Amino acid sequence: MPKVALTTLGCKVNQYETQKILESFEARGFEIVPFDSPADVYVINTCSVTQSAEAKSRQTVRRAARQNPNAIVVMTGCYAQFTLRRGERVAEAHLVVPNPDKLHTVDRLLENFPELAEQLRTDALTSSPSKIFPLGHPSGSEEKSRPTPGSMDDEPIPNAEPRPLKRTRAVLKIQDGCNVFCSFCSIPYTRPVMRSLPYQEVLAEAQALVAHGFREIVLTGVLIGDYGEHSGSGGPDLPTLCAMLSEIEGLERIRISSIEPTQVSDALIEQLATNPKMCPHLHIPLQSGDSRVLRTMNRPYDQAFYLDLCRRLRERIPHLAISTDIMVGFPGEDEEAFENTCRVVETVEFCRAHLFRYSPRPGTPAEAMAEQVPEHVKAERAQRLQAVCRAVQLRYATRFIGQTEYVRVETRSKLSGLLTGTSDHYLQVEFTGSPTLVGQLVPVRIQSVSPEGILGECVTR
Ligand code: SF4
């Protein structure tokens, strides 16, 4: 059997799609191996959201080529799409699959390398059926999330590292495409078609995930609040879909990965407030707390709108966890605008904020804007804002001292022996417990909060 190794850079949408690509390779009879193992084919699902993500995408392609100089290296994803548009080449990539075509990567590979198709045919004749069609299932975990501008989930892009495929929490992509055209973002150019997964398929996938042992599902999409809008079938919107999903027996938690401020509807707030399966957490990209900068970013809201939304949310759900993405050093951001962003961070009291410095994306309107902020100013502001965010994050977490939080246990630290997991309110909690609890939802009383971390103790149910 030919061996294939896959890896992902970037957002949860990319992670999810890599799983889908993996399944299609499995279905054709490829053996899936870890990315750092010798393989016949390497597939890199790339990201282009920052210059750093692009550089890491290129490095990963080169790493694959070094690992086995005889392997076929395939590149797809947002960065791959950009190289096609700009007529650039990454010398080590033998095949570049356009982003809209990525779920057919295996077909494009076999069309371009017929000798592989021939090998698969020969292997199929000599293998047992169970080997030809191994069972695979879409799975994903939040691990650490990250922000893509706007829809970027919850983790800073500059750290976008290739991700392993093993997950503890399932990610389910229900929507694709963006038509907002924020002036800094390249996503609408690479994912222009608005699509929603029909709700029947969402429910079927969720049921299958639960049958495979997943108890928590993270709903993801590029513009997830748009779910149902472009389905053309009069299907449910996002809040209704959440209500339908919560009917699935065995599914304990539903989390929404990232939602634009203008798409948090009253109906969604009611779902969060009344549906016990919904995690009390929303990731709402702020990007800037200054109305003038938001306008030049082409973000469809201002500071007052964002603050009012957070106020209404916390009025209805008092300790709601709100995390965010903030861009530092967007063109035209002066000291006053930056201070406005700091003030919004203080006021909202985010549970987590992912900061990244603005870097121009080729072909976007912001690239050509005057008043680009010098790198040293961006660095200095990022440092200051980081300090504000850390203080606010601690303040938010101290609300929970003495309270019991449900924690999804993700790992056991080899160093400290403590279990680590994410609570309903998106706190990273450490506590003593048996490794058999990994993957489970465990009640944990929060004992202390400090810059070193949040400690708790497991409460007997
Ligand atoms: S909403 Fe803005 S930041 Fe988010 S994907 Fe669309 S254009 Fe990009």
Side-chain angles (χ1 to χ4, degrees):
M1 266 196 233
K3 292 179 181 162
V4 62
L6 301 93
T7 195
T8 318
L9 290 103
C11 63
K12 286 200 195 82
V13 172
N14 257 15
Q15 290 174 34
Y16 175 87
E17 287 170 345
T18 301
Q19 283 292 339
K20 288 288 183 194
I21 299 169
L22 179 151
E23 286 165 32
S24 62
F25 271 91
E26 276 186 330
R28 292 300 186 93
F30 280 84
E31 183 187 343
I32 311 295
V33 296
F35 196 75
D36 52 9
S37 313
D40 302 298
V41 179
Y42 290 94
V43 178
I44 298 107
N45 192 0
T46 60
C47 172
S48 68
V49 80
T50 60
Q51 284 171 352
S52 158
E54 287 189 353
K56 279 178 181 149
S57 297
R58 284 190 295 273
Q59 283 160 16
T60 310
V61 168
R62 289 186 188 124
R63 196 179 113 206
R66 272 200 309 274
Q67 272 174 197
N68 179 6
N70 297 319
I72 301 165
V73 180
V74 183
M75 190 169 87
T76 188
C78 294
Y79 174 63
Q81 181 72 16
F82 259 104
T83 62
L84 290 173
R85 277 186 56 214
R86 295 191 297 231
E88 293 171 4
R89 276 194 71 226
V90 177
E92 293 81 358
H94 302 101
L95 179 66
V96 181
V97 178
N99 203 35
D101 208 19
K102 65 161 62 155
L103 297 184
H104 303 291
T105 296
V106 69
D107 299 319
R108 299 296 90 84
L109 175 74
L110 296 179
E111 281 160 20
N112 283 278
F113 296 91
E115 64 276 17
L116 263 179
E118 189 48 48
Q119 189 186 339
L120 284 166
R121 259 193 299 277
T122 315
D123 289 349
L125 289 171
T126 53
S127 301
S128 72
S130 65
K131 275 196 161 176
I132 302 170
F133 301 107
L135 280 178
H137 209 276
S139 65
S141 95
E142 215 176 12
E143 263 195 31
K144 294 214 167 160
S145 38
R146 63 113 225 187
T148 63
S151 80
M152 322 195 223
D153 297 326
D154 327 312
E155 182 178 308
I157 307 269
N159 298 329
E161 295 287 353
R163 289 158 187 276
L165 288 166
K166 278 259 171 252
R167 314 288 177 201
T168 55
R169 183 181 293 153
V171 176
L172 180 44
K173 181 180 149 194
I174 61 170
Q175 184 277 338
D176 200 0
C178 179
N179 55 9
V180 177
F181 288 93
C182 297
S183 60
F184 53 81
C185 181
S186 54
I187 288 175
Y189 304 95
T190 55
R191 297 175 183 266
V193 183
M194 306 297 288
R195 271 192 307 245
S196 295
L197 189 67
Y199 75 93
Q200 298 91 334
E201 287 179 40
V202 176
L203 296 176
E205 280 218 28
Q207 266 154 354
L209 287 166
V210 171
H212 279 75
F214 290 94
R215 296 284 171 265
E216 182 167 335
I217 287 179
V218 183
L219 297 178
T220 189
V222 178
L223 205 60
I224 194 173
D226 201 65
Y227 179 80
E229 272 288 302
H230 298 83
S231 57
S233 59
D237 59 7
L238 180 63
T240 314
L241 182 76
C242 291
M244 292 164 99
L245 283 167
S246 63
E247 298 289 315
I248 295 176
E249 209 173 310
L251 179 60
E252 294 172 344
R253 290 288 185 273
I254 302 162
R255 202 183 283 272
I256 294 171
S257 70
S258 176
I259 185 159
E260 284 295 302
T262 50
Q263 297 194 315
V264 182
S265 63
D266 289 346
L268 184 64
I269 298 175
E270 274 318 291
Q271 265 304 307
L272 286 161
T274 57
N275 184 342
K277 289 194 179 180
M278 294 294 292
C279 286
H281 169 220
L282 279 183
H283 183 86
I284 314 174
L286 168 67
Q287 306 301 7
S288 169
D290 182 78
S291 298
R292 180 182 56 80
V293 171
L294 284 168
R295 258 196 316 280
T296 51
M297 284 178 165
N298 199 31
R299 303 280 292 165
Y301 56 91
D302 60 11
Q303 185 203 70
F305 180 94
Y306 193 96
L307 286 176
D308 186 58
L309 171 65
C310 294
R311 184 191 54 73
R312 286 191 297 119
L313 280 163
R314 290 256 173 79
E315 227 168 61
R316 187 72 183 91
I317 311 153
H319 297 301
L320 180 76
I322 305 176
S323 54
T324 199
D325 306 323
I326 304 174
M327 187 179 283
V328 177
F330 187 75
E333 182 194 74
D334 56 14
E335 189 57 26
E336 189 187 339
F338 173 71
E339 294 280 338
N340 278 336
T341 299
C342 295
R343 261 193 292 279
V344 173
V345 171
E346 291 272 2
T347 310
V348 175
E349 210 170 80
F350 292 110
C351 69
R352 215 177 289 181
H354 302 296
L355 314 184
F356 50 105
R357 296 184 216 167
Y358 169 73
S359 64
R361 304 290 68 221
T364 58
E367 187 193 16
M369 282 181 186
E371 297 185 83
Q372 298 283 334
V373 176
E375 284 306 317
H376 71 275
V377 177
K378 287 184 203 169
E380 186 265 335
R381 285 184 189 158
Q383 223 173 20
R384 273 159 62 199
L385 189 55
Q386 189 79 53
V388 177
C389 291
R390 278 206 199 103
V392 157
Q393 197 171 320
L394 274 183
R395 215 159 70 209
Y396 174 77
T398 50
R399 293 172 181 225
F400 296 91
I401 292 177
Q403 306 286 321
T404 298
E405 277 282 281
Y406 276 86
V407 175
R408 171 81 50 202
V409 185
E410 282 143 14
T411 57
R412 180 171 179 270
S413 159
K414 280 194 187 128
L415 215 62
S416 66
L418 293 173
L419 298 179
T420 305
T422 305
S423 81
D424 284 353
H425 287 93
Y426 214 46
L427 306 174
Q428 284 293 126
V429 182
E430 292 181 299
F431 62 100
T432 308
S434 155
T436 56
L437 294 175
V438 172
Q440 292 191 35
L441 196 60
V442 176
V444 174
R445 187 175 304 112
I446 308 299
Q447 291 178 305
S448 68
V449 171
S450 75
E452 282 69 52
I454 302 172
L455 290 176
E457 64 172 353
C458 190
V459 179
T460 322
R461 272 182 270 199

